[in-house]
Amino acid sequence: MTAPGLEILLTEEEIESTVARLAAELSTRFTDGVVLAGLLRGSVPFLSDLVRAITIRPLIDFIAITPYAPNTGRVRMLKDLDIDIVGRDVVIVEDIVDTGLTTAFIHGELSRRSPRRVCVCTFVDRPARRVVPVELDHVGIEIPDRFVIGYGLDHEGRYRNLRVLASAAPEVLAEDPDAYVGALYPA
Ligand code: 5GP
């Protein structure tokens, strides 16, 4: 691979085995059933693989929030769960936990609705830039302080459907958002 700053962190096979491990963890833990609450849009490939690897029968729902305003740290819900979670076990399913602000906000919102328990399952954990402490119950991979793309994670809408997780150079993407297309989508 010749693109500057690009490094494959997880291959397709490694993603598959990571998802299998997480699915086994959830299947063992939530034998009474669970609501998987996926955070749009980055968690979609992960959630889709996870639900098919799981051996229990989960309910699936989605949440969308606005991106954080840089200075205020405020967000609001754009799409709420449709499922009533009173008395249920809920797992927030995320692509990546970075600052922890998104997770903390959603965890707070859902916890107010009298669920039995709210847990977090994230495919990627990047603790280096954490602003709010959050408890992560199920983690696919912990990565160093690098920007990542693929397996749901985008840059300006690109790269979400890659079957690998790659770290990329933000300065290269800032110059040309398509910089890695040639290397990652071989013709
Ligand atoms: P938070 O900072 O609230 O933990 O993460 C918010 C969101 O920022 C994540 O759900 C994800 O969509 C996005 N994000 C954080 N770090 C990265 C990254 O390295 N790459 C990409 N593509 N998105 C990220």
Side-chain angles (χ1 to χ4, degrees), residues 128-151:
R129 297 201 302 155
R130 198 76 92 239
V131 173
V132 194
V134 282
E135 193 179 325
L136 305 179
D137 304 88
H138 303 274
V139 173
I141 179 179
E142 182 180 313
I143 61 164
D145 192 6
R146 312 248 293 272
F147 183 76
V148 283
I149 53 174
Y151 202 53

mmCIF file of all heavy atoms in Angstrom, residues 128-151:
data_model
loop_
_atom_site.group_PDB
_atom_site.id
_atom_site.type_symbol
_atom_site.label_atom_id
_atom_site.label_comp_id
_atom_site.label_asym_id
_atom_site.label_seq_id
_atom_site.Cartn_x
_atom_site.Cartn_y
_atom_site.Cartn_z
ATOM 1 N N ALA A 128 -7.022 7.989 24.540
ATOM 2 C CA ALA A 128 -6.056 9.096 24.666
ATOM 3 C C ALA A 128 -6.706 10.472 24.780
ATOM 4 O O ALA A 128 -6.157 11.362 25.428
ATOM 5 C CB ALA A 128 -5.101 9.072 23.473
ATOM 6 N N ARG A 129 -7.850 10.657 24.163
ATOM 7 C CA ARG A 129 -8.457 12.000 24.163
ATOM 8 C C ARG A 129 -9.743 12.058 24.992
ATOM 9 O O ARG A 129 -10.611 12.908 24.776
ATOM 10 C CB ARG A 129 -8.759 12.428 22.719
ATOM 11 C CG ARG A 129 -7.483 12.538 21.885
ATOM 12 C CD ARG A 129 -7.676 13.395 20.682
ATOM 13 N NE ARG A 129 -8.747 12.910 19.818
ATOM 14 C CZ ARG A 129 -9.425 13.681 18.988
ATOM 15 N NH1 ARG A 129 -9.170 14.962 18.925
ATOM 16 N NH2 ARG A 129 -10.362 13.171 18.232
ATOM 17 N N ARG A 130 -9.853 11.152 25.956
ATOM 18 C CA ARG A 130 -11.082 11.098 26.760
ATOM 19 C C ARG A 130 -11.272 12.392 27.557
ATOM 20 O O ARG A 130 -10.335 12.879 28.174
ATOM 21 C CB ARG A 130 -11.009 9.904 27.716
ATOM 22 C CG ARG A 130 -12.344 9.511 28.257
ATOM 23 C CD ARG A 130 -13.189 8.736 27.209
ATOM 24 N NE ARG A 130 -13.012 7.318 27.314
ATOM 25 C CZ ARG A 130 -12.569 6.536 26.333
ATOM 26 N NH1 ARG A 130 -12.297 7.039 25.147
ATOM 27 N NH2 ARG A 130 -12.419 5.259 26.501
ATOM 28 N N VAL A 131 -12.468 12.942 27.502
ATOM 29 C CA VAL A 131 -12.813 14.145 28.250
ATOM 30 C C VAL A 131 -13.697 13.784 29.438
ATOM 31 O O VAL A 131 -13.567 14.343 30.518
ATOM 32 C CB VAL A 131 -13.559 15.156 27.328
ATOM 33 C CG1 VAL A 131 -14.090 16.336 28.116
ATOM 34 C CG2 VAL A 131 -12.649 15.630 26.209
ATOM 35 N N VAL A 132 -14.611 12.841 29.196
ATOM 36 C CA VAL A 132 -15.528 12.383 30.244
ATOM 37 C C VAL A 132 -15.223 10.910 30.521
ATOM 38 O O VAL A 132 -15.138 10.123 29.576
ATOM 39 C CB VAL A 132 -16.995 12.429 29.758
ATOM 40 C CG1 VAL A 132 -17.956 12.279 30.926
ATOM 41 C CG2 VAL A 132 -17.267 13.697 28.990
ATOM 42 N N PRO A 133 -15.079 10.535 31.785
ATOM 43 C CA PRO A 133 -14.865 9.115 32.050
ATOM 44 C C PRO A 133 -16.117 8.308 31.732
ATOM 45 O O PRO A 133 -17.219 8.706 32.126
ATOM 46 C CB PRO A 133 -14.542 9.067 33.553
ATOM 47 C CG PRO A 133 -15.006 10.366 34.109
ATOM 48 C CD PRO A 133 -15.141 11.355 32.996
ATOM 49 N N VAL A 134 -15.971 7.249 30.964
ATOM 50 C CA VAL A 134 -17.122 6.391 30.650
ATOM 51 C C VAL A 134 -16.720 4.939 30.862
ATOM 52 O O VAL A 134 -15.580 4.561 30.602
ATOM 53 C CB VAL A 134 -17.616 6.574 29.185
ATOM 54 C CG1 VAL A 134 -18.439 7.830 29.030
ATOM 55 C CG2 VAL A 134 -16.464 6.555 28.205
ATOM 56 N N GLU A 135 -17.689 4.160 31.335
ATOM 57 C CA GLU A 135 -17.414 2.746 31.533
ATOM 58 C C GLU A 135 -17.766 1.995 30.257
ATOM 59 O O GLU A 135 -18.911 2.091 29.788
ATOM 60 C CB GLU A 135 -18.254 2.231 32.713
ATOM 61 C CG GLU A 135 -17.792 0.876 33.182
ATOM 62 C CD GLU A 135 -18.607 0.390 34.371
ATOM 63 O OE1 GLU A 135 -18.997 1.254 35.199
ATOM 64 O OE2 GLU A 135 -18.872 -0.812 34.439
ATOM 65 N N LEU A 136 -16.793 1.299 29.693
ATOM 66 C CA LEU A 136 -17.036 0.537 28.469
ATOM 67 C C LEU A 136 -17.044 -0.947 28.827
ATOM 68 O O LEU A 136 -16.042 -1.478 29.301
ATOM 69 C CB LEU A 136 -15.950 0.839 27.433
ATOM 70 C CG LEU A 136 -15.772 2.329 27.103
ATOM 71 C CD1 LEU A 136 -14.650 2.523 26.091
ATOM 72 C CD2 LEU A 136 -17.075 2.946 26.611
ATOM 73 N N ASP A 137 -18.195 -1.587 28.616
ATOM 74 C CA ASP A 137 -18.345 -2.965 29.070
ATOM 75 C C ASP A 137 -17.760 -3.970 28.087
ATOM 76 O O ASP A 137 -17.266 -5.010 28.483
ATOM 77 C CB ASP A 137 -19.839 -3.262 29.273
ATOM 78 C CG ASP A 137 -20.457 -2.271 30.239
ATOM 79 O OD1 ASP A 137 -20.909 -1.187 29.784
ATOM 80 O OD2 ASP A 137 -20.467 -2.544 31.436
ATOM 81 N N HIS A 138 -17.851 -3.656 26.807
ATOM 82 C CA HIS A 138 -17.378 -4.587 25.780
ATOM 83 C C HIS A 138 -16.637 -3.776 24.718
ATOM 84 O O HIS A 138 -17.224 -2.889 24.091
ATOM 85 C CB HIS A 138 -18.551 -5.342 25.155
ATOM 86 C CG HIS A 138 -19.364 -6.083 26.182
ATOM 87 N ND1 HIS A 138 -19.053 -7.347 26.613
ATOM 88 C CD2 HIS A 138 -20.457 -5.707 26.889
ATOM 89 C CE1 HIS A 138 -19.914 -7.737 27.531
ATOM 90 N NE2 HIS A 138 -20.784 -6.752 27.711
ATOM 91 N N VAL A 139 -15.348 -4.076 24.531
ATOM 92 C CA VAL A 139 -14.500 -3.290 23.617
ATOM 93 C C VAL A 139 -13.863 -4.220 22.586
ATOM 94 O O VAL A 139 -13.300 -5.259 22.937
ATOM 95 C CB VAL A 139 -13.389 -2.562 24.414
ATOM 96 C CG1 VAL A 139 -12.394 -1.887 23.471
ATOM 97 C CG2 VAL A 139 -13.991 -1.533 25.364
ATOM 98 N N GLY A 140 -13.963 -3.815 21.309
ATOM 99 C CA GLY A 140 -13.335 -4.610 20.251
ATOM 100 C C GLY A 140 -11.845 -4.439 20.234
ATOM 101 O O GLY A 140 -11.077 -5.384 20.404
ATOM 102 N N ILE A 141 -11.390 -3.201 20.041
ATOM 103 C CA ILE A 141 -9.957 -2.931 19.969
ATOM 104 C C ILE A 141 -9.679 -1.565 20.584
ATOM 105 O O ILE A 141 -10.432 -0.616 20.357
ATOM 106 C CB ILE A 141 -9.436 -2.990 18.503
ATOM 107 C CG1 ILE A 141 -7.933 -2.672 18.450
ATOM 108 C CG2 ILE A 141 -10.213 -2.084 17.584
ATOM 109 C CD1 ILE A 141 -7.326 -2.732 17.046
ATOM 110 N N GLU A 142 -8.604 -1.502 21.363
ATOM 111 C CA GLU A 142 -8.149 -0.194 21.870
ATOM 112 C C GLU A 142 -7.025 0.277 20.952
ATOM 113 O O GLU A 142 -6.114 -0.489 20.649
ATOM 114 C CB GLU A 142 -7.650 -0.344 23.307
ATOM 115 C CG GLU A 142 -7.207 0.982 23.899
ATOM 116 C CD GLU A 142 -6.716 0.850 25.337
ATOM 117 O OE1 GLU A 142 -7.396 0.195 26.148
ATOM 118 O OE2 GLU A 142 -5.644 1.410 25.621
ATOM 119 N N ILE A 143 -7.138 1.527 20.512
ATOM 120 C CA ILE A 143 -6.124 2.026 19.571
ATOM 121 C C ILE A 143 -5.417 3.249 20.155
ATOM 122 O O ILE A 143 -5.956 3.937 21.017
ATOM 123 C CB ILE A 143 -6.744 2.396 18.195
ATOM 124 C CG1 ILE A 143 -7.792 3.515 18.350
ATOM 125 C CG2 ILE A 143 -7.328 1.178 17.506
ATOM 126 C CD1 ILE A 143 -8.150 4.199 17.035
ATOM 127 N N PRO A 144 -4.198 3.542 19.656
ATOM 128 C CA PRO A 144 -3.504 4.761 20.075
ATOM 129 C C PRO A 144 -4.166 5.987 19.463
ATOM 130 O O PRO A 144 -5.146 5.878 18.717
ATOM 131 C CB PRO A 144 -2.086 4.567 19.536
ATOM 132 C CG PRO A 144 -2.213 3.556 18.454
ATOM 133 C CD PRO A 144 -3.416 2.717 18.750
ATOM 134 N N ASP A 145 -3.615 7.152 19.725
ATOM 135 C CA ASP A 145 -4.232 8.412 19.308
ATOM 136 C C ASP A 145 -4.044 8.662 17.812
ATOM 137 O O ASP A 145 -3.265 9.525 17.403
ATOM 138 C CB ASP A 145 -3.657 9.567 20.129
ATOM 139 C CG ASP A 145 -4.472 10.839 19.941
ATOM 140 O OD1 ASP A 145 -5.530 10.768 19.280
ATOM 141 O OD2 ASP A 145 -4.047 11.888 20.437
ATOM 142 N N ARG A 146 -4.772 7.898 17.009
ATOM 143 C CA ARG A 146 -4.693 8.050 15.554
ATOM 144 C C ARG A 146 -6.110 8.133 14.993
ATOM 145 O O ARG A 146 -7.019 7.500 15.507
ATOM 146 C CB ARG A 146 -3.987 6.834 14.932
ATOM 147 C CG ARG A 146 -2.688 6.465 15.641
ATOM 148 C CD ARG A 146 -1.492 6.724 14.779
ATOM 149 N NE ARG A 146 -1.445 5.838 13.635
ATOM 150 C CZ ARG A 146 -0.871 4.628 13.667
ATOM 151 N NH1 ARG A 146 -0.358 4.151 14.778
ATOM 152 N NH2 ARG A 146 -0.823 3.901 12.579
ATOM 153 N N PHE A 147 -6.286 8.916 13.932
ATOM 154 C CA PHE A 147 -7.578 9.026 13.260
ATOM 155 C C PHE A 147 -7.810 7.753 12.453
ATOM 156 O O PHE A 147 -6.911 7.288 11.751
ATOM 157 C CB PHE A 147 -7.596 10.251 12.350
ATOM 158 C CG PHE A 147 -8.913 10.472 11.666
ATOM 159 C CD1 PHE A 147 -9.999 10.990 12.348
ATOM 160 C CD2 PHE A 147 -9.074 10.125 10.319
ATOM 161 C CE1 PHE A 147 -11.229 11.171 11.712
ATOM 162 C CE2 PHE A 147 -10.287 10.300 9.680
ATOM 163 C CZ PHE A 147 -11.361 10.829 10.382
ATOM 164 N N VAL A 148 -9.014 7.194 12.569
ATOM 165 C CA VAL A 148 -9.276 5.938 11.851
ATOM 166 C C VAL A 148 -10.467 6.044 10.889
ATOM 167 O O VAL A 148 -11.397 6.835 11.109
ATOM 168 C CB VAL A 148 -9.511 4.754 12.825
ATOM 169 C CG1 VAL A 148 -8.202 4.259 13.401
ATOM 170 C CG2 VAL A 148 -10.476 5.105 13.951
ATOM 171 N N ILE A 149 -10.389 5.237 9.851
ATOM 172 C CA ILE A 149 -11.468 5.158 8.849
ATOM 173 C C ILE A 149 -11.765 3.683 8.569
ATOM 174 O O ILE A 149 -10.953 2.819 8.860
ATOM 175 C CB ILE A 149 -11.090 5.878 7.523
ATOM 176 C CG1 ILE A 149 -9.747 5.360 6.986
ATOM 177 C CG2 ILE A 149 -11.070 7.384 7.705
ATOM 178 C CD1 ILE A 149 -9.362 5.915 5.606
ATOM 179 N N GLY A 150 -12.937 3.458 8.002
ATOM 180 C CA GLY A 150 -13.324 2.093 7.626
ATOM 181 C C GLY A 150 -14.222 1.457 8.662
ATOM 182 O O GLY A 150 -14.360 1.942 9.779
ATOM 183 N N TYR A 151 -14.868 0.376 8.279
ATOM 184 C CA TYR A 151 -15.788 -0.373 9.133
ATOM 185 C C TYR A 151 -16.766 0.566 9.851
ATOM 186 O O TYR A 151 -16.925 0.539 11.064
ATOM 187 C CB TYR A 151 -15.022 -1.257 10.118
ATOM 188 C CG TYR A 151 -15.870 -2.401 10.627
ATOM 189 C CD1 TYR A 151 -16.530 -3.254 9.739
ATOM 190 C CD2 TYR A 151 -16.034 -2.621 11.988
ATOM 191 C CE1 TYR A 151 -17.323 -4.283 10.199
ATOM 192 C CE2 TYR A 151 -16.828 -3.656 12.461
ATOM 193 C CZ TYR A 151 -17.477 -4.480 11.550
ATOM 194 O OH TYR A 151 -18.270 -5.508 11.998
#
